[in-house]
Amino acid sequence: MKALATTHHPTVREQADALARGATTSVALVEAALERIDAHRSAAGHAYVGDIDAQGALQAARAIDTARAAGNVPSALAGLPVSIKDLFDVRGQVTRAGATVMADRPPATADAVAVARLRAAGAVLLGRTNMSEFAFSGLGLNPHYGTPAHPQDRGRITGGSSSGAAATVALGMATVALGTDTGGSIRIPSAFCGLTGFKPTARRVPLQGAYPLSRSLDSVGPLARSVDCCAIVDAILSGETLDTRAAPLAGLRLGVTDDYVMDGVEPAVAAAFETALQRLAAGGTRIVRFGFAELHRLPALNAAGGLIAAEAWHVHRARLDDPTQAARYDPRVAQRTRRGAAISAADYIDLQDARLSLQATARERLRDFDAWLMPTVAVRAPLLADLASDDAKFLATNGLVLRNTTVLNFLDGCALSLPCQSPGELPVGLSVGGVHGADARVLQVGRAIEACLAAG
């Protein structure tokens, strides 16, 4: 495969330092992002949906530059351009959640909690990012607003559901993106696009003002360029100051599961993952292989659609029972959502009980590890042409792409995805995961792993 061109875009810390030194201004950063957005849209790019409030963004940037000159810098994110996934409320804007059936709703009267916290931290909100309709796919295809193309190979997908979010960061149209993750929607596009994405423990970041997919599984987090970027944004979104300083690499115990999450892994992904493990072992970590046979229960548990279908049906049933509104849905999303109608209350309770049981097993399996490593996704970014018109191929690929990431959602854990491919190769993600509440440790270990892999 030919080498893929990449462009370095500065991290949050690098841009914040440049602002602090007076080497740039917020206005200059926002203007540069707006120029890239214009070029992207002129080339028929679909990362952003709806209007870009350029004047509002520049006005906010000027205000932040003025505040900075007076010594008022609320966070490292102050003055930096940020994109917002289309399912978050932004006051004065319509929240479509990637759907046309939502386009007639009135504008939001208040920001979602996550958006309000970003705004209070001084982030400059550029626009709304494209996504799988109602966040119900790991592939990122959108038949209404177009499908964002992969930043390095336009014939491939960015992954979903936060598809546009990944494209905005990878192409320098935002420094960080606000996304959601119900079954991998932050980590999948991060893995496909060579970014770092963080799915925190669910409910650490309030969900108010974010259009729901699954109340049991939804979580809010960043897509960015480094673990440090993710830690900075997580502190703002969660309101928690965690100790995320890098853990010493030597002596870390990192668990690796060879069953289930390694089944059917693409050879290039397996090779990149094993190379990363070898580098970590050479750096003094202890890689411990362990079995987790209980994970093989997941396909049967979710065979009827699982928690997502049941809870999505609760959200969408009124519209899907109306033929006029149902006709405006992406048929693939409607079909999977309707599966929830057949899940009884007893089945739903059984599934929640099974989830609690598997979480207890995970705590036992992982208790002696600093983190749990696996390929974020079993394959690299698929070709769009293979998915757009073939429903069977779409469903099979969607299931494989979501398989590894959904493990951490079902276990109510937290995870980072870090790029681990060699230079010039199509991106591969390395997942650094932990159980419920292990966010600080995952970020600490993630920093250590990131530094090790960067050192080659």
Side-chain angles (χ1 to χ4, degrees), residues 181-206:
D181 192 309
T182 304
S185 289
I186 287 171
R187 291 161 290 154
I188 292 166
S190 294
F192 283 171
C193 296
L195 302 174
T196 301
F198 180 52
K199 175 236 172 304
T201 298
R203 295 169 298 282
R204 278 191 61 243
V205 180

Side-chain angles (χ1 to χ4, degrees), residues 117-135:
R117 289 180 175 180
L118 290 172
R119 201 190 292 273
V124 178
L125 311 185
L126 289 182
R128 312 181 68 86
T129 57
N130 204 349
M131 55 183 285
S132 307
E133 183 182 80
F134 294 117

Side-chain angles (χ1 to χ4, degrees), residues 136 301-310 336 339-340 343 351:
F136 205 169
L301 288 173
N302 292 312
L307 292 173
I308 293 180
R336 280 176 285 138
R339 298 178 72 195
I343 299 174
L351 187 54

Side-chain angles (χ1 to χ4, degrees), residues 327-413:
R328 299 176 68 183
Y329 273 68
D330 176 347
R332 289 167 168 170
V333 170
Q335 183 269 330
R336 280 176 285 138
T337 303
R338 285 193 172 102
R339 298 178 72 195
I343 299 174
S344 69
D347 292 337
Y348 179 79
I349 293 170
D350 283 345
L351 187 54
Q352 292 283 17
D353 288 346
R355 186 185 186 210
L356 290 173
S357 175
L358 200 55
Q359 288 169 4
T361 301
R363 288 193 294 271
E364 178 66 22
R365 291 279 191 279
L366 302 174
R367 67 179 181 180
D368 294 328
F369 298 127
D370 291 286
W372 182 17
L373 306 188
M374 66 180 76
T376 304
V377 188
V379 296
R380 296 171 298 173
L383 293 167
L384 175 60
D386 292 342
L387 306 170
S389 59
D390 187 332
D391 285 350
K393 180 73 170 178
F394 176 94
L395 290 172
T397 304
N398 190 52
L400 181 59
V401 163
L402 285 161
R403 185 196 63 200
N404 287 11
T405 52
T406 56
V407 168
L408 271 299
N409 296 83
F410 197 80
L411 296 178
D412 199 18

